[in-house]
Every structure is written in structure tokens, then in C-alpha cells.
Amino acid sequence: MFSQFGATAESLSKASTMVFRIGTDAHLYDDPDDVSISPLLDSKFDSEKCEALKRLLALIAQGFDVSSYFPQVVKNVASQSLEVKKLVYLYLLHYAEKYARQ
């Protein structure tokens, strides 16, 4: 395509995808086996807790079972941040429906 610049259709496609994702939460869907969620949930910073909770909710939306994080999520109800509380609420709503039927 633009061989004089050393670019191929594949490299241009990857570049446009990266530009499109800037400013979005699309990266939350990248790796369902991400091991960095637990430390983020235990962080003292609300921004890191929000990041972890958004990742968990993204995984739930994809159909993954993330109930193993339940104790770590529940303890964040005591957070002062309204955003953290809302994200915890969304997580709890999903699993309250699931476990209420059992």
C-alpha cells in the first residue's frame, strides 16, 4: 500500500486500532487471566480500585466467572469514593442474582 514508507496494510490496521483505543476502556477486555487485579483491589488508592473493578465488570460482561474476587470486592464497600461504591454495587448485583437462585 504505502511501500515507500515501509508500511503494510497490516501495520496500518494495527496503528489505526491503537489510535482508536486511546481514551477508551477497551484495554480492559484484553486479558481475562490478568493477575494484577488482586493487588489493585487491595490498593490504598481509589483510582486503582476503580481500575480493578472495571476490569472485573468487563470480564463479567464477557461471561467469565470472577466470583473468586468476592471477598476483596466486598471489603471495598467501605470506601469513601462514590465511584468505587457504585462499581462494587454493580458487581454485587450480578452475584446476588446468581446466588439468590441457589
Side-chain angles (χ1 to χ4, degrees), residues 5-101:
F5 300 114
T8 63
E10 183 179 341
S11 66
L12 290 173
S13 175
K14 286 181 183 178
S16 67
T17 301
M18 294 301 287
V19 169
F20 174 72
R21 289 180 45 190
I22 294 173
T24 68
D25 288 338
H27 67 281
L28 300 175
Y29 294 96
D30 284 347
D31 188 11
D33 298 323
D34 191 0
V35 294
S36 67
I37 293 176
S38 290
L40 291 175
L41 285 172
D42 294 333
S43 173
K44 64 179 179 177
F45 301 108
D46 289 335
S47 61
E48 291 181 353
K49 291 177 184 181
C50 285
E51 176 74 17
L53 289 164
K54 286 179 183 180
R55 287 182 185 204
L56 289 176
L57 291 171
L59 291 170
I60 287 172
Q62 286 183 317
F64 290 98
D65 180 25
V66 291
S67 60
S68 60
Y69 294 99
F70 192 85
Q72 290 176 296
V73 171
V74 170
K75 74 177 185 176
N76 286 310
V77 169
S79 172
Q80 296 297 317
S81 168
L82 184 58
E83 185 177 8
V84 171
K85 287 182 180 183
K86 287 179 180 181
L87 292 169
V88 168
Y89 176 75
L90 290 172
Y91 178 93
L92 292 177
L93 271 179
H94 175 77
Y95 284 107
E97 292 174 2
K98 180 180 177 181
Y99 292 114
R101 292 185 217 133

